[in-house]
Amino acid sequence: MPVNSGLAALSDHFLGATMVVYALAMLGYAAEFAFGRFGRTSGAPAVEPVMSSPSSAGAARLTASERVPAMAGAGLGAAERSGEVDGGVDGGGVDGGGQGGPGAMTDPAAALAAAMAGDSEHPPGPAGVRWIGRIAVALTALGWLAQVGSVTARGFAAHRVPWGNMYEFSSMITLVAVSTYLVMLARTRARVRWLGVFVMFPVVLYLGFAGTVLYVAVGPLVPALNSYWLKIHVAAAIVASGVFMLSAVTTVLYLLKDRWENQLAAVAAGRAGASAAMRKRGGIMMRLPTAAVLDRITYRVIGLAFPIWTFAVIAGAIWAEAAWGRYWGWDPKETWSFITWVIYAAYLHARATAGWKGNRAAAISLLGFSALFVDYYLVNLVISGLHSYAGVN
Amino acid sequence: MSQPTAPTTVPDDVRAQASPPPSQASGGPDAAALDAVGPDVRGAGPVRGLGSARRVSARWGPGRWGPARWVIVRIRRLWHQLTSMRTALLLLFLLALAAVPGSLLPQRSLNPLKVEQYFRDHPSLAPALDRVSAFNVFGAPWFAAIYLLLFISLIGCLSARVRWHARALVGRPPRAPARPSRLTGGQTWDTALTPPEAIEAARVVLRRRRFRLAVAAEGATRPDGSPDFSVAAEKGYLRETGNLIFHIALVLMLVGVGLGSWFGYQGTVLVITGDGFANTLVSYDQFSRGRLVDPAGGLAPFSLTMEKFTASYQPTGQPADFRATVAYASGLREPTRVAEIRVNHPLAIGSAKIYLIGHGYAPHFVLRDAAGGVVWEGYQPCTPRDAMFTSTCTLKIGDTGLAPTGPTREPRQLAFSGVFTPTTELDRARGYVSTYPAANAPGLTLTGYVGNLHINEGIPQNVYSLDTRDMRQLRLNGPLGDDRAAQVLALNNPKQRTVTGLPGGMSLEADGVREFATFQTKSDPFKGWVLVAAIAIICGLLVSMRVRRRRVWVRARPAAGTGVGTGADAHAAAATIVEIGGLSRSDIDGFAAELRAIALDARAAMETDPRLVDSNKQEL
Ligand code: HEM
């Protein structure tokens, strides 16, 4: 069937619009994030609770620790030690927890949402800044619609699923990442807005890369890809990758926040003085949830993506069996999918043994994402194999 | 299953069972919390799992039992080390690392030509790499060593974990710690109920939430002698079940892959339209089989004939679709069926699958003697060498009927080498070329030889290559004129498809062409097994990632100054202090919320005094 060039052009226009709107949303999130609490933190050194035992924090603890910055000026924050403060914090936790009702609270999604919510329902900060955040969310939704339009138009233009080459994969992966973020926003009633800038930044970069370097005109599939397993296997791989991408973002945030907390600990212990940079950046760092929470978010997100990735690899093996007569042949693409799988499995193990939480687990998470990157880009562009469907010359 | 590296301060019972011991490597998330719980938790109850190995090695020390026991102890220690999570982690990383060169260097199993090229490009490096199996990474002994170690380790720890889990499934949740409220998220309140009543109310609340329960027996006492009023609750056993299914399925999958390579076989065969083959060793042009395949009776007894081959191309010559229409019988006495084999759509017969992996052209040749009698005729497949199916043909005719010559009685055999072009056009620069892959204007450029082919000397020869050592090139008469080294035949034109002037007045006609297809038969009888294992892997994974294991403890004690029992003073306010607490290793946030909800329910339940309800009933 011939390519519908009108729809193809429409798809390209939509993608352009998506990029512009996403970039604006990113700026909005950045503005809200950066200016959110400057009115309060100016002057006072940003001091925050130091978790001696980060992993023992409960949800109640989260709300409490996020409340602490408000108290930081009064000098309470640095004194907190998990053991001593537990009781006091719990009282607050009980009040807060009553509202949700047991049903809602045992829902894993709600639990995740609770873990991710950096603050109560009303993020403090000047009203104007909050409005910027809301506009950024609206822009994200608008950009999402435009991207759905772009992907759909491309699918109809080529009369097939719109994930047949690298440009299309990349667009789909960012779409999954943004969709996941939007779902999280809806579930938490916008309490994860702080994550916005960190999601939109790589998304915009990635889309820019896809739209320029990887771009190919709409065309039919190469015959080897013409199978319904394409829909299943590649779709699963795309969803898993989009979610893994989110986990890489939270891992990087974890590392930043963890360093910050260590510096704070040093300051609190009198081993170091608060540097000017710490004073200045404190407002931003404090907007992030604690390192322990970020660590747990990463675990949850990888826990979500890992079974999907497992399914994608198995579906790929079934397809390979149908097409080439063997389900596994250590083709470079297969090899790197396997490496990615093994590294993320190692991450889950590392997390299960408590000794490997934190930095070392974060390192494995980033290693896993690097392997995924090699799998998607280097294998297609540099190493050639049976899966040479990149569509890039 | 001791973990020598783990700090031994890990509190026992609670944590040792919060999940299977191998995962409890070191100071876990709850270590700090448990430190606050009170002395009861530690050292109470039998030391399970992890602890037992330590005791074993103490009992079997070298001093008491001599060197033999000492060796056993070392081996046991090695075994525990191998089956520890840390080792598994290390081996997992090693496996990932070991796979990397397999994707960067050319591999023999994937592309032998590239390996040869690599040897030419790196003459000094390549042999060194070859010695460490770098061109066959996935068959290398060191690669096998890593995954075998990993799976031995996995099997070792699995057997222990299955036993622990079975015990946990039939056993009771571990006893409540002394001060549950000191666990993160724990709470304390007081109630007018007596301690047994409070515990009963808590039990009902927990039961409603489908926890598995263990209420301290009536009259049970705590280590300090005071009466024990407590209930222990646990939920989410399915997590460990799913986890075990996942790991066991992983082992089964590897076993299936291994058995598949032992009991599987693979053969390639070229079939010209109208011909067929039977699934026997001799029918195949190439055949390889696993160690345990019986070549006589082990192959599925099918036979297959290709009735038609259809190829279609896009105007540019790009392939659009290929399909072979075949008639097959899956056994000697089975009826004949018709099927189509396409790329991506193999034909399954029993445990074997037949794939279409290639196709090409086979011109038909007829060799006639001077009188016009047919000496030899047959189809000769030609090897395609470009996308337009320009193909190389080699025709060897051993039995020509020509008398041998010379004192050594050299045979006079004939050979022709040619280039077949399905859509033939004359290009000024390159001569006769093919411009489209379909046989629209089939042409054949031929050269001929006479002499000794050396074909009947017991040395196997490649049918697609010609040894012209002892042959003389012929001068041919044909469409291009007389006495030429090469002739070009047009297969569709009866006037332009014969060469004459061969020795003995013979002539060769190329009077038609058929398509051939290359089929690959593959049998892997354990494919289904591997698939089932893969599905189990996903199911186990989903269950174990979704379900959360958690424990809740409620403990009641009489408030200071009040006696326990049924006396009237027990009705006074604040007769009992109730504590609640719990642990969840896998879901700290969600659990905190759940625990709050349970505490709310329990508090509410303890505000209604069951005895008041009872007395109301009595009044009625
Ligand atoms: C000696 C070998 C192994 C041991 C002792 C072991 C042990 C464990 C344990 C105890 C858990 C549970 C963690 C938790 O409670 O959250 C776990 C989870 C997991 N293991 Fe293993 N494992 C081994 C080998 C492997 C291998 C070879 C793989 C695959 C590459 C693997 C993949 C996983 C995955 C993906 C999980 C997380 C999903 C789940 O909780 O089921 N394991 N492993």
Side-chain angles (χ1 to χ4, degrees):
Chain A
M1 247 186 291
V3 164
N4 183 328
S5 54
L7 277 177
L10 184 67
S11 164
D12 293 349
H13 288 317
F14 266 135
L15 190 84
T18 306
M19 281 196 255
V20 172
V21 177
Y22 278 174
L24 287 176
M26 178 182 78
L27 291 179
Y29 290 123
E32 187 194 27
F33 192 82
F35 303 122
R37 226 178 301 182
F38 268 20
R40 295 196 202 182
T41 47
S42 60
V47 181
E48 215 187 335
V50 180
M51 298 289 195
S52 59
S53 151
S55 50
S56 63
R61 185 64 129 329
L62 306 181
T63 14
S65 60
E66 278 305 315
R67 242 177 253 137
V68 172
M71 306 187 287
L76 287 174
E80 190 192 76
R81 287 288 178 275
S82 52
E84 298 155 31
V85 182
D86 263 4
V89 169
D90 283 342
V94 172
D95 299 284
Q99 312 159 352
M105 283 316 216
T106 44
D107 171 17
L112 177 57
M116 302 198 66
D119 210 324
S120 63
E121 275 152 54
H122 304 291
V129 169
R130 246 184 290 146
W131 269 106
I132 294 179
R134 280 180 205 156
I135 291 170
V137 172
L139 285 174
T140 312
L142 192 69
W144 183 83
L145 281 178
Q147 198 179 4
V148 169
S150 164
V151 165
T152 316
R154 201 161 163 106
F156 279 107
H159 314 287
R160 59 175 171 78
V161 290
W163 48 81
N165 55 48
M166 266 172 78
Y167 160 68
E168 292 168 1
F169 298 149
S170 304
S171 179
M172 287 299 296
I173 288 172
T174 55
L175 185 60
V176 169
V178 174
S179 308
T180 314
Y181 170 65
L182 283 175
V183 167
M184 274 163 34
L185 269 183
R187 287 253 168 125
T188 60
R189 278 175 287 159
R191 277 181 295 169
V192 288
R193 216 152 68 199
W194 56 268
L195 197 54
V197 60
F198 305 103
V199 174
M200 296 320 280
F201 180 65
V203 161
V204 168
L205 272 187
Y206 212 46
L207 265 186
F209 179 67
T212 51
V213 179
L214 302 177
Y215 183 81
V216 287
V218 179
L221 288 176
V222 296
L225 279 188
N226 212 344
S227 155
Y228 63 90
W229 282 107
L230 169 74
K231 300 184 184 93
I232 300 169
H233 159 68
V234 183
I238 284 170
V239 171
S241 307
V243 181
F244 275 138
M245 182 169 153
L246 215 59
S247 79
V249 168
T250 56
T251 306
V252 171
L253 291 181
Y254 161 81
L255 288 173
L256 291 174
K257 183 73 180 212
D258 187 54
R259 235 190 90 203
W260 169 254
E261 286 178 358
N262 288 340
Q263 284 173 351
L264 275 184
V267 172
R271 272 178 277 124
S275 66
M278 278 179 77
R279 270 171 226 269
K280 217 160 56 207
R281 277 206 314 267
I284 292 180
M285 292 311 278
M286 276 173 40
R287 317 240 61 204
L288 290 175
T290 61
V293 170
L294 286 167
D295 188 33
R296 282 208 298 275
I297 294 171
T298 307
Y299 176 54
R300 288 296 181 81
V301 174
I302 290 179
L304 180 68
F306 186 81
I308 306 175
W309 183 251
T310 309
F311 174 76
V313 173
I314 290 173
I318 295 173
W319 182 11
E321 198 276 327
W324 302 316
R326 89 289 187 288
Y327 51 79
W328 198 264
W330 294 111
D331 178 79
K333 195 93 184 171
E334 294 167 353
T335 305
W336 278 96
S337 308
F338 172 76
I339 293 173
T340 307
W341 186 74
V342 165
I343 294 177
Y344 278 116
Y347 171 88
L348 293 176
H349 275 181
R351 280 296 312 240
T353 64
W356 273 54
K357 238 167 219 178
N359 277 338
R360 285 203 269 181
I364 304 175
S365 154
L366 291 184
L367 201 65
F369 192 70
S370 315
L372 189 66
F373 187 83
V374 171
D375 197 15
Y376 266 85
Y377 294 101
L378 294 192
V379 168
N380 282 6
L381 299 175
V382 184
I383 312 167
S384 70
L386 282 171
H387 291 74
S388 45
Y389 48 68
V392 178
N393 296 315
Chain B
M1 305 286 119
S2 163
Q3 303 216 25
T5 41
T8 48
T9 57
V10 178
D12 59 55
D13 216 322
V14 175
R15 295 189 3 90
Q17 291 177 11
S19 94
S23 63
Q24 301 287 343
S26 60
D30 316 311
L34 276 165
D35 285 339
V37 182
D40 257 36
V41 169
R42 307 195 185 173
V47 180
R48 310 240 173 137
L50 282 174
S52 57
R54 213 175 298 131
R55 279 185 323 200
V56 167
S57 40
R59 225 191 307 137
W60 289 6
R64 263 179 81 184
W65 293 94
R69 294 295 184 186
W70 186 82
V71 168
I72 292 178
V73 168
R74 302 298 316 179
I75 290 175
R76 277 185 163 241
R77 196 164 296 163
L78 205 70
W79 175 248
H80 296 317
Q81 212 139 17
L82 182 64
T83 55
S84 79
M85 184 88 123
R86 215 170 272 258
T87 311
L89 212 57
L90 188 77
L91 289 170
L92 275 179
F93 276 123
L94 267 180
L95 193 65
L97 200 65
V100 172
S103 74
L104 300 180
L105 290 169
Q107 297 293 299
R108 285 219 172 79
S109 55
L110 295 175
N111 201 335
L113 295 180
K114 270 197 177 165
V115 176
E116 279 173 29
Q117 183 64 40
Y118 195 88
F119 266 83
R120 255 171 276 136
D121 294 347
H122 307 270
S124 53
L125 182 61
L129 287 175
D130 201 23
R131 235 165 287 136
V132 293
S133 306
F135 302 112
N136 184 23
V137 164
F138 304 106
W142 44 268
F143 194 79
I146 296 173
Y147 73 71
L148 281 181
L149 270 182
L150 183 58
F151 275 84
I152 291 172
S153 152
L154 185 50
I155 290 168
C157 82
L158 272 179
S159 60
R161 284 173 62 198
V162 167
R163 264 181 283 126
W164 286 318
H165 189 49
R167 216 174 295 155
L169 281 181
V170 297
R172 290 152 54 96
R175 270 184 8 218
R179 306 290 309 274
S181 67
R182 294 220 195 135
L183 291 164
T184 306
Q187 292 184 34
T188 308
W189 65 84
D190 43 44
T191 172
L193 303 185
T194 62
E197 287 163 350
I199 290 304
E200 172 59 17
R203 194 193 66 83
V204 170
V205 166
L206 287 165
R207 174 91 266 171
R208 218 183 299 131
R209 288 170 173 270
R210 302 203 289 134
F211 273 84
R212 192 190 279 244
L213 299 168
V215 180
E218 211 173 314
T221 54
R222 309 189 33 70
D224 62 11
S226 61
D228 183 0
F229 303 109
S230 66
V231 56
E234 182 161 12
K235 196 173 165 179
Y237 293 79
L238 216 53
R239 179 190 182 84
E240 179 65 1
T241 309
N243 191 284
L244 287 175
I245 288 176
F246 169 85
H247 284 88
I248 291 171
L250 212 56
V251 174
L252 291 182
M253 179 146 121
L254 190 89
V255 171
V257 171
L259 289 176
S261 74
W262 275 0
F263 286 98
Y265 60 85
Q266 164 181 341
T268 326
V269 59
L270 185 151
V271 179
I272 295 164
T273 311
D275 274 358
F277 71 101
N279 190 30
T280 57
L281 205 58
V282 289
S283 322
Y284 290 103
D285 304 323
Q286 264 173 38
F287 190 81
S288 65
R289 63 188 160 93
R291 233 160 284 185
L292 301 180
V293 177
D294 169 14
L299 310 192
F302 67 82
S303 61
L304 179 151
T305 309
M306 178 160 81
E307 300 192 321
K308 203 168 103 198
F309 185 85
T310 334
S312 59
Y313 304 92
Q314 281 166 3
T316 56
Q318 262 200 2
D321 185 37
F322 317 116
R323 55 189 68 203
T325 310
V326 299
Y328 71 96
S330 46
L332 279 178
R333 268 176 282 280
E334 298 294 317
T336 301
R337 291 196 197 94
V338 175
E340 260 188 4
I341 305 180
R342 289 187 285 151
V343 177
N344 270 343
H345 297 273
L347 171 66
I349 305 179
S351 77
K353 270 191 176 177
I354 301 148
Y355 296 83
L356 175 61
I357 60 169
H359 69 109
Y361 290 100
H364 185 253
F365 294 95
V366 188
L367 181 70
R368 293 188 176 88
D369 60 21
V374 173
V375 178
W376 183 93
E377 60 132 357
Y379 288 94
Q380 181 59 42
C382 302
T383 319
R385 65 180 194 209
D386 68 17
M388 297 304 162
F389 279 81
T390 307
S391 312
T392 310
C393 311
T394 306
L395 178 64
K396 302 182 195 179
I397 304 171
D399 217 357
T400 54
L402 295 171
T405 58
T408 53
R409 299 190 55 78
E410 283 286 304
R412 283 205 286 165
Q413 297 166 325
L414 286 175
F416 297 88
S417 115
V419 175
F420 175 81
T421 42
T423 298
T424 313
E425 272 180 34
L426 183 57
D427 181 282
R428 257 186 227 167
R430 296 181 293 147
Y432 288 92
V433 295
S434 175
T435 55
Y436 196 72
N440 295 336
L444 188 63
T445 309
L446 263 194
T447 51
Y449 301 86
V450 66
N452 188 350
L453 280 168
H454 299 288
I455 44 176
N456 301 324
E457 298 168 1
I459 301 162
Q461 258 190 20
N462 186 341
V463 290
Y464 297 105
S465 73
L466 198 57
D467 172 8
T468 55
R469 264 179 308 156
D470 291 320
M471 304 198 88
R472 171 175 63 83
Q473 188 165 8
L474 296 170
R475 308 294 292 178
L476 307 171
N477 306 334
L480 291 187
D482 286 354
D483 198 23
R484 284 171 172 266
Q487 289 289 350
V488 177
L489 310 183
L491 273 58
N492 283 348
N493 185 345
K495 293 204 179 79
Q496 292 191 10
R497 63 189 191 198
T498 310
V499 287
T500 55
L502 304 179
M506 290 200 288
S507 66
L508 180 78
E509 185 181 10
D511 62 355
V513 63
R514 281 189 180 174
E515 274 169 294
F516 70 80
T518 322
F519 293 104
Q520 185 171 67
T521 305
K522 240 185 128 121
S523 165
D524 179 347
F526 288 88
K527 221 145 54 178
W529 170 318
V530 172
L531 182 63
V532 170
I535 292 169
I537 280 179
I538 293 196
C539 295
L541 193 58
L542 282 177
V543 168
S544 88
M545 302 299 289
R546 287 276 145 253
V547 177
R548 290 151 296 130
R549 184 107 173 238
R550 52 235 194 252
R551 291 180 180 170
V552 173
W553 294 285
V554 180
R555 181 175 284 293
R557 66 189 142 83
T562 36
V564 192
T566 50
D569 56 336
H571 273 287
T576 299
I577 295 172
V578 181
E579 287 185 59
I580 190 167
L583 278 181
S584 169
R585 268 182 0 98
S586 43
D587 172 46
I588 290 153
D589 310 312
F591 178 68
E594 186 181 7
L595 188 63
R596 281 199 299 271
I598 293 173
L600 271 180
D601 281 4
R603 270 175 126 149
M606 290 178 200
E607 264 150 34
T608 27
D609 184 342
R611 272 177 313 178
L612 289 181
V613 177
D614 280 353
S615 56
N616 282 347
K617 269 193 198 139
Q618 279 161 12
E619 274 166 29
L620 282 175

